[in-house]
Amino acid sequence: MKPLRAASMAGLGVVVMAAGRGTRMRSSRAKVLHRIAGRPMIRYALDLARRVAGHSVAVVVGHQADQVRQAVESVLSGQRDGAPVHLVEQKQQLGTGHAVLQARPVFVSGKGPQPTAYLILNGDTPLLQEATVQDLLRAHRSSGAAVTMLTALLDDPSGYGRVVRRSSSGTHDRASADVVKIVEHRDATPDERAIREINVGTYVVDGGFLFAALDKVEPHNAQGEYYLTDIVDMAVTQGYRVSAMALSNPEEGLGVNTRQQLADAEGVIRRQIRARWLEAGVTMVDPSSTWIEADVVIGQDTTLYPSVTLEGRTVIGDDTTVYSGVRISDCVVGSRVEILDHCVLRESQVDDEAHIGPFVHLRPGVLVRTKAKVGNFVEMKKTDLGEGAKANHLSYLGDATIGKGVNIGAGTITCNYDGVHKHQTVIGDHVFIGSDTQLVAPVTIGAGTVIAAGTTVTQDVPSDSLVIARVQQVNRAGWAAKRRVLLSNEGSSSSKLSKGRKVSAALSAKKKKR
Ligand code: UD1
Ligand code: MG
């Protein structure tokens, strides 16, 4: 066998293949854009690539190239470290071999040193761990092989490329037989389909060998595609060594081609995320029903009750309790906060020791300050609720700035929308707002003012005032008793409606006489 120069990983170029459509997903969205634990699938391969690359990373995009490019750029914009990333377009998706060829200009530009080896990653293998890839790179360095590939032994290998081995004695025994080729499921004979060792789609390939070999790949197979996997056969034919490393945990090799595999990958990643937070000191009353996305951060001694969903860039402080059925998306929640059951919180901030819920909806742009309380069927949007303020029952608070210690009575509504524009409501510190108040914006209530229950506020109010705006109350003594008598005198013959009309007429006639 021809030995190859052991590659230094400082010169490792990485290719991530993400141009395929993902037909088996039956989706209008490119496969690598499907989300797993809140991240687009492509991010898993991309993050790994950036961590291990010594040279640059090339991401091959094609199907829905603009959307995939955007997703990649949005991941990169949130990262400071990692190898430089170049996007290359595979205009027609002619197969994985053709995809990798498109990356050649990134590495073979004539300027600067070229990679001594390439790591090639499928964009649809999100469970692959960095430690495994590092092991593969080490194996490649020490073996002097032209191709070092990752394999997995599966009980059900269907759909995957099979690893065909042969020893001089003609056996297929993994320990003693060398890899001779990879055969795709669709091209495999019944004997080859019985092979349980599959190609994971992760390869380290010698820098001098890769593109020269890819130039010679031909689309002679069931799909009429240029298969990257053909370089294995080629290396063997040219007298180079192909070495294979089997995954100790085959789960890592899961390739996501279908919705079922997407759900399987999601399940594994969610379990890993939960394990990480349990380890970090978070209590989960029922871990299996607790959904935590990959970018969420949770403080120590925080308790999550069953069926809690934490999404996006949510950050939760220490010793906070989140009860059942709560969904928190892209929020910053402080420490020692209590969030009672069935709340939805989106793009908002809740400061330390605040109380939220049950049944609260915080729409984007809410700030609930320290020790403030929001409860029982309150909806808020773009509102700053001051320190220690309370809005505990059945309110809508939108486009409002509410001062410290304010009491928002039950059923208070900020009438912020006139059908065309949104307007602001400003409420000073320590204002007391009685129940069933409407604040017709734009309106400013001075600090310390008391608003009587049932008031509709349409004008600004100075500080320390009483505001009352309701219809004058009238009490008519004995009215109801008389009505009862009249009703019983009307007898049972007339209908309820005509009886009621006659009694009302009689009562108002008496009123006029008085
Ligand atoms: C591939 C392997 C198979 C392996 C399996 C592991 C080939 C020929 N087959 O099959 O041996 O067992 O992965 O999961 O490589 N892509 C492009 N351009 C294309 C086609 C695909 O960029 O023209 C990308 C896809 O977006 C995807 C990756 O390459 O990220 C793999 O393609 P996919 O169609 O999923 O290949 P598999 O059939 O899974
Ligand atoms: Mg695949």
Side-chain angles (χ1 to χ4, degrees), residues 145-223:
V147 181
T148 306
M149 57 178 291
L150 204 53
T151 72
L153 273 182
L154 301 184
D155 291 338
D156 176 12
S158 49
Y160 291 95
R162 310 295 207 283
V163 179
V164 181
R165 293 173 180 264
R166 199 156 296 134
S167 73
S168 43
S169 62
T171 65
H172 291 250
D173 174 42
R174 267 201 333 117
S176 60
D178 290 326
V179 174
V180 289
K181 65 172 179 176
I182 299 168
V183 56
E184 292 305 299
H185 183 97
R186 288 169 71 164
D187 303 305
T189 62
D191 274 357
E192 287 166 338
R193 284 193 183 180
I195 298 172
R196 287 175 48 233
E197 188 181 20
I198 63 104
N199 166 33
V200 167
T202 306
Y203 325 78
V204 188
V205 186
D206 176 74
F209 175 75
L210 177 67
F211 292 115
L214 284 175
D215 275 334
K216 295 189 202 105
V217 167
E218 299 212 19
H220 299 316
N221 50 60
Q223 300 201 90

Side-chain angles (χ1 to χ4, degrees), residues 17 19-20 24 31 90 93 95-96 122-124 161 184 199-200 257:
M17 291 182 284
R24 290 161 280 180
K31 177 166 70 176
Q90 184 192 21
Q93 288 78 61
T96 46
N122 275 356
D124 66 353
E184 292 305 299
N199 166 33
V200 167
N257 298 312

Side-chain angles (χ1 to χ4, degrees), residues 333-457:
V333 176
S335 296
R336 299 173 303 286
V337 171
E338 185 176 61
I339 305 180
L340 297 179
D341 312 56
H342 302 292
C343 297
V344 176
L345 281 60
R346 294 184 288 147
E347 295 168 46
S348 290
Q349 179 178 328
V350 177
D351 288 348
D352 295 349
E353 293 174 50
H355 286 255
I356 307 283
F359 302 104
V360 163
H361 187 186
L362 301 187
R363 289 164 51 204
V366 170
L367 168 57
V368 176
R369 294 185 188 251
T370 310
K371 295 189 177 171
K373 290 186 176 174
V374 185
N376 306 288
F377 305 101
V378 172
E379 173 188 352
M380 293 172 76
K381 182 215 78 166
K382 284 193 187 155
T383 286
D384 177 342
L385 184 67
E387 197 177 319
K390 290 179 196 163
N392 266 335
H393 322 271
L394 301 153
S395 278
Y396 170 65
L397 304 168
D399 302 297
T401 305
I402 302 170
K404 272 187 224 157
V406 168
N407 182 87
I408 305 278
T412 296
I413 307 266
T414 52
C415 310
N416 59 331
Y417 186 47
D418 61 13
V420 183
H421 297 110
K422 300 281 171 69
H423 300 281
Q424 297 289 320
T425 300
V426 178
I427 302 171
D429 292 347
H430 304 292
V431 165
F432 179 93
I433 301 184
S435 299
D436 192 26
T437 292
Q438 293 98 53
L439 301 154
V440 182
V443 72
T444 299
I445 315 292
T449 276
V450 171
I451 301 180
T455 293
T456 300
V457 183

